[in-house]
């Protein structure tokens, strides 16, 4: 179930990406102190929960100040009894261009434990991790956490239905790309109220988890925050839904109806 959580999260991060140089707003849409919490539901059962935080970091890379982006994911309820998960992820990004300098993850899943680290050299188009050195196709490559926050700050003022975009990201031991299609606008009923949203559909690969004709849909607030509110995808048995539970420290008011 945690692998499903990470897959949905990773796709969730990548909701509006342009092809070559990725244009973003002059200022990030998030700020120090923002805290978002999500729950992952398998059918009607809450299987896992996640918390995303933005804080000012004391660490500097190349003499430049950074944000620390943190994600904590854990199983809940019955899932926590049979397969306990406590995963933690950190990404340190430049405060100006929002590109990652350093990424680390601490995975604890039942008796399995793993720690991975990666250093991003954007100018040199490479990622150096404890698993090796990897070449990147552009000078804008992300880990999954930084991709989420960068995507939120992109300038999508000229987006049209049917537009497709790509994002390069590093995960595990490879550089991958996601293609995302803009679907349109919808209002989503959430725990925070009825929220006007932009709807996207990232591409997914059928296999051990997803059905051959499965499509992932996600909804992002149609306001200055660009906060993901919901994601939904069918899997081989049932469906998985990611929902926003709470949002604190937002920079702008939510697009409530």
């Amino acid at each position: 179930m945690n692998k499903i959580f990470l897959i949905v999260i990773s796709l969730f991060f990548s909701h509006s990406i342009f092809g070559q140089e990725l244009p973003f707003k002059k200022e990030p849409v998030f700020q120090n102190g923002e805290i978002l919490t999500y729950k992952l539901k398998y059918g009607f059962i809450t299987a896992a929960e996640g918390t995303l935080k933005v804080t000012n970091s004391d660490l500097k890379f190349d003499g430049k100040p950074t944000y620390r982006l943190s994600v904590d994911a854990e199983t809940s309820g019955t899932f926590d009894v049979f397969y306990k998960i406590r995963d933690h992820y950190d990404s340190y990004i430049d405060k100006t261009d929002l590109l990652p300098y350093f990424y680390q993850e601490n995975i604890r899943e039942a008796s399995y434990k793993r720690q991975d680290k990666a250093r991003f050299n954007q100018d040199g188009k490479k990622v150096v991790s404890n698993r090796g050195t990897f070449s990147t196709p552009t000078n804008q490559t992300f880990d999954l956490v930084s991709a989420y926050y960068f995507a939120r700050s992109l300038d999508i003022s000229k987006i049209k239905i049917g537009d497709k975009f790509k994002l390069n990201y590093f995960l595990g031991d490879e550089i991958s790309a996601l293609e995302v299609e803009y679907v349109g606008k919808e209002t989503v009923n959430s725990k925070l109220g009825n929220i006007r949203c932009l709807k996207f559909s990232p591409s997914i690969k059928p296999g051990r988890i997803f059905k051959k004709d499965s499509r992932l849909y996600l909804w992002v607030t149609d306001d200055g925050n660009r906060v993901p509110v919901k994601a939904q995808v069918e899997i081989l048995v049932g469906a998985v839904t990611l929902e926003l539970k709470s949002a604190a420290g937002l920079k702008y008011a939510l697009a409530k109806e």
Side-chain angles (χ1 to χ4, degrees), residues 64-78:
K64 298 179 180 179
T66 61
Y67 285 115
R68 178 187 178 188
L69 312 175
S70 301
V71 177
D72 287 284
E74 62 182 52
T75 45
S76 59
T78 304

Side-chain angles (χ1 to χ4, degrees), residues 25-179:
K25 298 181 179 181
K26 292 182 179 179
E27 295 184 359
V29 300
F30 54 87
Q31 61 184 355
N32 176 53
E34 181 189 272
I35 302 176
L36 304 174
T37 62
Y38 291 90
K39 63 179 179 179
L40 183 76
K41 297 172 63 178
Y42 177 62
F44 296 102
I45 302 173
T46 298
E49 298 184 351
T51 302
L52 291 76
K53 298 180 181 180
V54 180
T55 55
N56 290 323
S57 171
D58 293 331
L59 294 181
K60 290 186 177 181
F61 292 85
D62 301 330
K64 298 179 180 179
T66 61
Y67 285 115
R68 178 187 178 188
L69 312 175
S70 301
V71 177
D72 287 284
E74 62 182 52
T75 45
S76 59
T78 304
F79 288 90
D80 199 48
V81 175
F82 291 101
Y83 194 78
K84 187 183 294 291
I85 291 172
R86 298 293 185 271
D87 292 347
H88 180 81
Y89 309 84
D90 285 310
S91 180
Y92 293 84
I93 66 170
D94 189 283
K95 280 193 171 184
T96 300
D97 61 21
L98 309 185
L99 295 177
Y101 287 111
F102 179 73
Y103 170 78
Q104 61 184 0
E105 59 184 32
N106 185 0
I107 307 300
R108 292 184 296 158
E109 303 172 359
S111 60
Y112 175 76
K113 296 182 179 180
R114 189 187 79 243
Q115 291 184 326
D116 281 344
K117 298 180 180 181
R119 181 72 160 89
F120 290 78
N121 182 341
Q122 302 291 352
D123 292 335
K125 294 184 179 181
K126 64 180 180 180
V127 178
V128 179
S129 79
N130 54 299
R131 298 194 183 195
T133 299
F134 305 87
S135 298
T136 65
T138 71
N139 57 3
Q140 288 181 319
T141 300
F142 306 88
D143 56 78
L144 295 182
V145 180
S146 62
Y148 164 78
Y149 286 93
F150 186 91
R152 285 176 53 190
S153 293
L154 285 173
D155 182 0
I156 57 173
S157 58
K158 297 181 180 180
I159 194 170
K160 298 179 181 179
I161 293 177
D163 283 351
K164 294 182 179 181
F165 319 105
K166 288 186 178 181
L167 167 70
N168 294 304
Y169 67 93
F170 172 75
L171 178 63
D173 57 0
E174 63 179 353
I175 306 294
S176 301
L178 286 176
E179 183 175 78

Side-chain angles (χ1 to χ4, degrees), residues 186-254:
E186 286 185 6
T187 297
V188 173
N189 186 301
S190 74
K191 286 187 174 295
L192 303 183
N194 294 327
I195 301 178
R196 299 189 306 277
C197 292
L198 305 174
K199 185 178 181 181
F200 296 86
S201 180
S203 60
I204 56 178
K205 296 180 180 180
R208 292 179 298 173
I209 296 177
F210 300 115
K211 294 181 179 179
K212 184 177 181 180
D213 57 349
S214 291
R215 291 196 70 181
L216 170 67
Y217 291 104
L218 55 90
W219 293 261
V220 180
T221 59
D222 189 13
D223 55 31
N225 300 295
R226 300 287 189 230
V227 171
V229 173
K230 179 181 177 181
Q232 192 169 46
V233 63
E234 290 186 348
I235 58 176
L236 293 177
V237 181
V240 172
T241 304
L242 190 69
E243 297 178 349
L244 179 66
K245 285 180 56 180
S246 64
L250 295 179
K251 198 169 185 177
Y252 305 97
L254 287 174

